[in-house]
Amino acid sequence: MQMVIRALGEGAGMISHLLAKNPSNEYDREEKGARVRLVYTKCTEEETEVVLYATPDPIELVKGSPDNYDITQYINDREFAVSSLFCSYIRSALGTALNGKPKEAYLPWVGHPFQLELSFGPVASNLPDGIVEQLFTALGYELRVERGELPYSFELKSRSTARYLTFSGQQTLQNALRQLFVLIPVLDDYKHYFIGEDELDKIRRYGEGWLEDHPLRDLILKRTLRFGDLIGRYNEEVAGTVGSVGTEKEAGVSADVEPEADLAPEDEESTAAPAAADDGEQDAPQPKIRLNELRYQAIIETVEALADKTSIVDFGSGEGKLAAKLGWIDGVERVLAVEPSAVAQLRAIDRFAKMEGRQGAAVPTPVSGSLFYFDESLRGHNVMILCEVIEHIDEHRLARVMDTIVHEYRPEVLIVTTPNKEYNRVYEMEDEAMRHNDHRFEWTREEFRDWCDSWASDRYTVDWKGIGEEAEGFGQPTQMAVCTLRKEANRW
């Protein structure tokens, strides 16, 4: 995690006094489980450049966490990405400038606008470049977005979500840092702390004088404060208005972008359902159904129509929502919910426990597993489901996964769903943007069909379907392949 502060022009040397850090002295501290260092690479009256570097201890990141038994805690970017963690690490190093309290002799420089350039990264943001740019240009800055080169012989991703940002313009050092301390958590949408009164106070303090009039204020508040009561209090106390915060879609962000918390399509996406009949005086409002529910509904209807559905494997079952629904289908006797994350599996176990003893329920069995490891117990089941799973796997690894499924597990029916990349245009997403920050790829309808044909042609017949509201020329938001083992195929 790093940030560079650069000041140009007359008076640039005063930056060291505002930071209260002597360019000749070493700054090297341990802060909350991270080593924080500050060094001046240049310090003259015409140009000053300061580099801040934070190196977290990966063990400290998870020590004391209730999830410390889960190996997936180590499969993340928290050690490297500039996020709310970075802000907490460097607050003490920048506290004097952030609060505008240098020695008395330098107080007049607190309000002095410097020609500043601040660079930081990498930021692993689910926000598209256009929204990131608006966050900074609305404050009068110019923004430059850069992506690092990926040193792989294969195309891991055409455009990485990890970006380095540089914003520049005339601004006081204090205001630039205050704005940055608010916007970094907005970009990453990651919170390592409890969101409550302290966070509201931070928004009041650091957002004073600029946040009230920011055109993306609603987006900033929602991704920072999260909860409606805190947002309402800010609007009432600071902005003098009471009202709900607009959605990301109103701010120009697709509702189909899928961060962990508040933009996931299973939470925000919706499709109009047929309107119920009314008394004829007035059309009843059409209820909205989340896209994730439509996926489940499509999968369940497909399974219900099968002649043989005794045993089902749900790969990447997460918290067990789909697996639990499958357990209520007539004729289903066994559901294996396969999931690598212990945290998600614990939540699934709680969900499955509520089904115990209820008539007509086939209580799913949680299984720790991955598509990358062969498990003898997963062979020969009637149905295997990969619901929104394949796009989380590197494309070059899919051939191995499908070889295991087709030639080792050999289900009678394989159901696969994945996003339809063409539909991203309907959500007004940027060309290379993806719906989730963990998606390795997203395919057009033609690409999905070509991929299915590449492994299914000699063993499975494939029926393609769309899920969700259709848009002319773009199809439907989710595409589904129902692959049925050919009668002439030798299953074993």
Side-chain angles (χ1 to χ4, degrees), residues 138-159:
L139 297 171
Y141 298 112
E142 292 183 3
L143 181 72
R144 185 171 73 251
V145 179
E146 297 176 293
R147 287 175 169 81
E149 294 295 326
L150 297 176
Y152 298 106
S153 58
F154 52 87
E155 186 180 3
L156 181 65
K157 286 180 88 168
S158 58
R159 288 176 68 86

Side-chain angles (χ1 to χ4, degrees), residues 249-280:
K249 194 165 186 179
E250 291 168 353
V253 183
S254 165
D256 197 49
V257 175
E258 295 184 55
E260 293 79 37
D262 57 18
L263 296 180
E266 45 265 60
D267 295 328
E268 298 295 336
E269 260 180 53
S270 60
T271 299
D278 58 21
D279 57 11

Side-chain angles (χ1 to χ4, degrees), residues 196-204 225 230 233-234:
E197 187 67 33
D198 288 345
E199 189 67 7
L200 180 58
D201 184 62
K202 185 182 83 172
I203 291 294
R204 291 193 195 106
L225 297 179
L230 294 177
R233 285 173 58 187
Y234 176 87

Side-chain angles (χ1 to χ4, degrees), residues 58-59 61-62 67-81 124 190 260 339-343 369-370 372-373 392 394 397 436-438 440:
I59 303 301
L61 284 176
V62 298
D67 303 333
N68 59 11
Y69 53 82
D70 183 1
I71 193 171
T72 58
Q73 66 182 310
Y74 296 105
I75 309 173
N76 60 64
D77 60 7
R78 295 303 92 189
E79 186 180 349
F80 313 102
Y190 171 78
E260 293 79 37
E339 171 60 38
S341 168
V343 173
S370 165
F372 298 112
Y373 304 101
H392 295 271
D394 295 330
R397 306 180 76 184
H436 191 283
N437 55 9
D438 188 47
R440 296 332 195 232

Side-chain angles (χ1 to χ4, degrees), residues 290-308:
R290 292 172 180 169
L291 179 56
N292 205 45
E293 288 300 320
L294 292 178
R295 292 188 195 113
Y296 292 164
Q297 181 179 320
I299 292 171
I300 289 168
E301 289 175 355
T302 300
V303 173
E304 287 177 334
L306 298 176
D308 198 346

Side-chain angles (χ1 to χ4, degrees), residues 403-415:
D403 184 68
T404 301
I405 291 175
V406 171
H407 296 102
E408 297 293 342
Y409 295 147
R410 305 180 188 179
E412 294 175 0
V413 175
L414 173 65
I415 301 173

Side-chain angles (χ1 to χ4, degrees), residues 7-20:
L8 296 172
E10 185 178 355
M14 299 306 297
I15 292 292
S16 64
H17 297 291
L18 295 178
L19 291 172

